[in-house]
Amino acid sequence: MANDVTHLYEEFGDDRLPPGQRETQRFPVLSKSGTPAWDPETWSFEAWGAVDTELDLSFDEFRDLPSETQVQDFHCVTGWSKFDCEFEGVTFPALAEAVGVDDDAVHVMFHAMDGYTTNLPLDQCMRDEVMFVWGYDGEDLPADHGGPLRVVTPHKYAYKGAKWVSGVEFLTEPERGYWEKRGYSNTANPWNEERYS
């Protein structure tokens, strides 16, 4: 049974559709470059930095972590939103529990197979709606949407959710990721229209 978290907008605004967004039934594909190739035999997910236990997991090992299915909304900074996306994967708090986050960790950098990075404060990640997902609408997450594994951040614009994620780094000081260094908002709250800095 999927956990419906589409009500989370109530924390941030009055309307489910953030200002300046239009609802779409499609799921457009956007990325900074092409879709990277991956090999299930050699793919790995790493977690490192300010943690008790660093991880280096195969795809099957990652999928063995405690997982759940959620129904979420998805908001792109370019102005479209897709409602009721069903994602399956591991919540960020579950991963954080697996590594044991140090008390001095304050920030997170997500790393992707294509070199993409994006950042969030740790406290913005430590909510169950932030997920590492391998499933979309009952199927494997398509490669062009970030498969085998991507991050979803339904309380932020979607550039905060790295496609083709390959690792997460726990930091003791804030750093900025790929788009954040290029003028995109560091906070990315859709209900405040925080698109650019």
Side-chain angles (χ1 to χ4, degrees):
M1 184 74 173
N3 180 22
D4 188 335
V5 300
T6 56
H7 59 276
L8 74 73
Y9 74 87
E10 295 168 357
E11 287 181 51
F12 303 99
D14 295 329
D15 297 310
R16 186 175 174 187
L17 187 68
Q21 297 290 106
R22 66 188 182 282
E23 185 183 354
T24 179
Q25 300 302 314
R26 297 169 50 246
F27 199 175
V29 173
L30 295 167
S31 62
K32 79 174 186 68
S33 54
T35 301
W38 75 290
D39 181 345
E41 297 301 315
T42 59
W43 183 92
S44 68
F45 178 91
E46 296 180 72
W48 73 96
V51 297
D52 295 336
T53 306
E54 295 192 349
L55 295 181
D56 187 351
L57 302 175
S58 69
F59 190 54
D60 287 341
E61 289 170 335
F62 191 92
R63 289 181 61 139
D64 284 340
L65 294 171
S67 64
E68 63 181 71
T69 301
Q70 294 184 9
V71 177
Q72 302 188 351
D73 296 337
F74 188 99
H75 307 294
C76 182
V77 71
T78 61
W80 57 267
S81 295
K82 182 169 173 56
F83 288 169
D84 300 317
C85 301
E86 187 177 286
F87 291 117
E88 180 183 4
V90 175
T91 68
F92 191 96
L95 182 80
E97 184 175 339
V99 297
V101 180
D102 291 351
D103 290 342
D104 57 351
V106 297
H107 216 76
V108 172
M109 186 71 75
F110 297 96
H111 296 262
M113 292 162 53
D114 63 345
Y116 182 74
T117 54
T118 188
N119 63 282
L120 277 172
L122 178 60
D123 62 359
Q124 294 289 304
C125 295
M126 289 295 288
R127 48 187 303 154
D128 287 336
E129 302 93 346
V130 177
M131 298 178 70
F132 299 88
V133 302
W134 59 73
Y136 170 65
D137 282 357
E139 305 286 342
D140 288 343
L141 181 69
D144 58 355
H145 285 300
L149 192 71
R150 77 165 295 156
V151 179
V152 290
T153 55
H155 61 318
K156 302 290 183 183
Y157 288 123
Y159 66 87
K160 290 292 189 179
K163 298 166 77 170
W164 312 297
V165 66
S166 57
V168 59
E169 180 180 8
F170 291 82
L171 302 165
T172 56
E173 293 184 3
E175 295 181 20
R176 292 189 179 229
Y178 180 86
W179 284 122
E180 294 85 357
K181 289 178 179 176
R182 290 163 172 79
Y184 280 67
S185 170
N186 202 35
T187 48
N189 181 335
W191 289 272
N192 290 341
E193 289 200 83
E194 296 168 359
R195 300 176 196 271
Y196 308 106
S197 54

